[in-house]
Amino acid sequence: MNANDEKKQVIIRNIEYLLTSSPYAENDTAASDLFSDTISELFSYHLKSSELYRNIIQGLSGSQITTTPETLADLPFLPVNLFKELDLKSSPTDQIVKTMTSSGTSGQVSKIYLDKDTARYQGKVLNSIVSSFIGNKRIPLLVIDSEKTVKDRNYFSARTAAIQGFSLFGKKPAFALNDDFTLNEAVVRDFFEQYSSGPYFVFGFTALVYFNFLHILKERNLSFKSNQGTLIHGGGWKKLQDQAVSNEQFKAFTQDTTGIQKVHNYYGMVEQTGSIFFECEEGHLHCSKYSDVYIRRADFSLCEPGEAGLIQVLSLLPLSYPGFNLLTEDMGEITSMDNCPCGRSGKTFKVHGRAKRAAIRGCSDVQY
Ligand SMILES: [Zn+2]
């Protein structure tokens, strides 16, 4: 085992250690120290493992790369878009078991190369985060997607990964959409008839849930009156933002059509699958022990809490590609630090939506 393999084992041991307790441990300074140490390890691990990454960082930092900056916020980050333009990987090609793509329908897609360990810990961490909200017991699951999305072996997208991940909580997942993404009314009726009296959950990508499920139910005058379920949705508000649908309206619409009162949005991206930011009962997106968020101004200085800027995301999980520290194209703000009324500790934030193209281009020009 060379020194860099050992580094990888240290990172994995740290993740394993965090997995032994709740993902939102109460004021756990040991966990936050471990997070900082592991991010620093990831930084030097990827510098050694990927020449392309090293060259990019070198370009950003000038001649001297500081692997031990004063704070995590001082570490260089990559713009998330680079994964659309470059093949960034830190594991040898023969160790790559899966290539995941973003589910964008137009333009370039991100390509994320997963080795066995990365795929494994993505699953474990997702499990730890989600089960802390909906419990460990497998309950009936209605997936707002087509079964095609998980069956097509030639296509492994962020949606495939998410459905597979969330299916672990579900008993016999039922798929609400046909192969052409129209609503399969019979499946939906059958699901609510059978399961609406007990706990169940519904999962899907935000736009599919809104346009292909809730909207169609309303159009067809179908409604269900079951308040025993939980809806979990994520994958971006872009399309809903265009229609000016807020999170509150989304929740009200869900309750009107399905009766479901417990709705959790999550924020995440294909580049950091697993360590998703889950929305608590108070409507705040929470960082877990596996993730962190910074908000930056156009000049990359850090925003104050409550001040809107570009969202930067950190995750402990990307081992086979250097995606642990990324600047997104989304705007957001920090909403609380260790004092969310839901009782979970850690940083919370909210997402305002996509930044205007001009702002992002401006940022890219400055730094790259
Ligand atoms: Zn909360």
Side-chain angles (χ1 to χ4, degrees):
M1 198 183 273
N2 66 34
N4 214 33
D5 287 339
E6 274 169 31
K7 216 173 254 308
K8 185 177 175 185
Q9 290 315 311
V10 169
I11 297 164
I12 288 178
R13 265 206 307 279
N14 291 354
I15 298 171
E16 283 282 359
Y17 175 78
L18 292 174
L19 279 164
T20 58
S21 57
S22 150
Y24 305 101
E26 195 62 35
N27 295 324
D28 191 342
T29 47
S32 72
D33 289 349
L34 196 60
F35 180 85
S36 303
D37 292 351
T38 312
I39 289 289
S40 300
E41 293 282 0
L42 277 161
F43 183 50
S44 51
Y45 174 75
H46 288 295
L47 281 176
K48 287 204 176 68
S49 309
S50 163
E51 197 186 342
L52 185 53
Y53 178 67
R54 191 166 60 244
N55 289 342
I56 297 167
I57 297 300
Q58 195 98 54
L60 294 178
S61 325
S63 55
Q64 209 59 37
I65 299 178
T66 316
T67 48
T68 48
E70 240 163 73
T71 71
L72 280 193
D74 299 330
L75 282 176
F77 44 83
L78 297 181
V80 71
N81 253 347
L82 274 193
F83 288 87
K84 293 186 175 143
E85 286 153 24
L86 302 172
D87 278 339
L88 284 155
K89 54 181 128 148
S90 305
S91 294
T93 306
D94 61 357
Q95 286 178 24
I96 301 299
V97 293
K98 254 184 224 165
T99 305
M100 201 156 54
T101 56
S102 51
S103 38
T105 45
S106 60
Q108 284 174 298
V109 294
S110 301
K111 291 181 300 295
I112 306 300
Y113 298 96
L114 304 182
D115 67 352
K116 237 174 53 204
D117 289 322
T118 307
R120 183 155 168 257
Y121 288 102
Q122 284 180 345
K124 285 189 168 215
V125 167
L126 180 73
N127 200 289
S128 170
I129 292 173
V130 179
S131 61
S132 83
F133 282 90
I134 66 170
N136 268 325
K137 233 174 97 200
R138 286 169 86 104
I139 52 177
L141 163 64
L142 181 66
V143 180
I144 311 300
D145 210 313
S146 146
E147 197 168 5
K148 190 179 73 173
T149 308
V150 283
K151 280 234 161 120
D152 187 348
R153 292 269 148 230
N154 299 313
Y155 179 71
F156 191 79
S157 71
R159 253 171 50 206
T160 319
I163 294 169
Q164 286 177 349
F166 279 95
S167 291
L168 297 176
F169 299 91
K171 258 197 300 209
K172 283 187 283 169
F175 289 82
L177 306 183
N178 298 307
D179 280 358
D180 61 357
F181 298 101
T182 54
L183 187 73
N184 189 331
E185 211 178 293
V187 165
V188 173
R189 277 179 186 281
D190 194 48
F191 183 88
F192 279 97
E193 261 161 39
Q194 278 197 62
Y195 302 119
S196 61
S197 59
Y200 66 91
F201 85 104
V202 178
F203 167 74
F205 265 44
T206 306
L208 284 177
V209 171
Y210 189 79
F211 293 106
N212 301 46
F213 179 59
L214 300 177
H215 241 280
I216 306 300
L217 291 182
K218 177 145 179 94
E219 232 173 69
R220 298 188 189 171
N221 253 327
L222 280 169
S223 68
F224 303 97
K225 292 277 163 280
S226 155
N227 61 7
Q228 300 297 310
T230 303
L231 168 66
I232 298 172
H233 68 102
W237 284 87
K238 174 92 187 55
K239 282 188 185 157
L240 278 75
Q241 204 184 326
D242 296 344
Q243 308 244 333
V245 181
S246 69
N247 196 15
E248 290 70 30
Q249 287 166 325
F250 186 99
K251 286 181 179 175
F253 196 30
T254 304
Q255 195 177 344
D256 274 0
T257 44
T258 63
I260 296 173
Q261 292 170 11
K262 281 168 72 182
V263 181
H264 296 280
N265 179 217
Y266 69 85
Y267 177 67
M269 55 215 68
V270 62
E271 292 80 4
Q272 293 189 353
T273 297
S275 58
I276 55 172
F277 302 93
F278 216 78
E279 181 193 12
C280 71
E281 302 76 5
E282 303 291 330
H284 293 161
L285 293 164
H286 275 259
C287 296
S288 69
K289 292 191 298 194
Y290 308 93
S291 62
D292 203 358
V293 154
Y294 295 110
I295 309 290
R296 297 203 181 257
R297 303 183 182 116
D299 65 358
F300 300 122
S301 58
L302 289 174
C303 292
E304 297 295 327
E307 179 188 349
L310 281 173
I311 300 174
Q312 176 192 349
V313 288
L314 290 89
S315 166
L316 298 186
L317 304 183
L319 288 159
S320 50
Y321 61 95
F324 63 101
N325 189 0
L326 302 172
L327 188 69
T328 73
E329 300 190 330
D330 297 321
M331 300 287 288
E333 66 180 272
I334 302 295
T335 49
S336 72
M337 308 279 280
D338 290 322
N339 57 357
C340 184
C342 77
R344 290 174 191 84
S345 67
K347 212 183 266 180
T348 71
F349 64 106
K350 102 179 157 197
V351 179
H352 296 306
R354 254 323 129 89
K356 300 254 183 310
R357 290 304 306 178
I360 297 165
R361 260 201 308 277
C363 291
S364 328
D365 288 349
V366 172
Q367 212 166 1
Y368 307 99

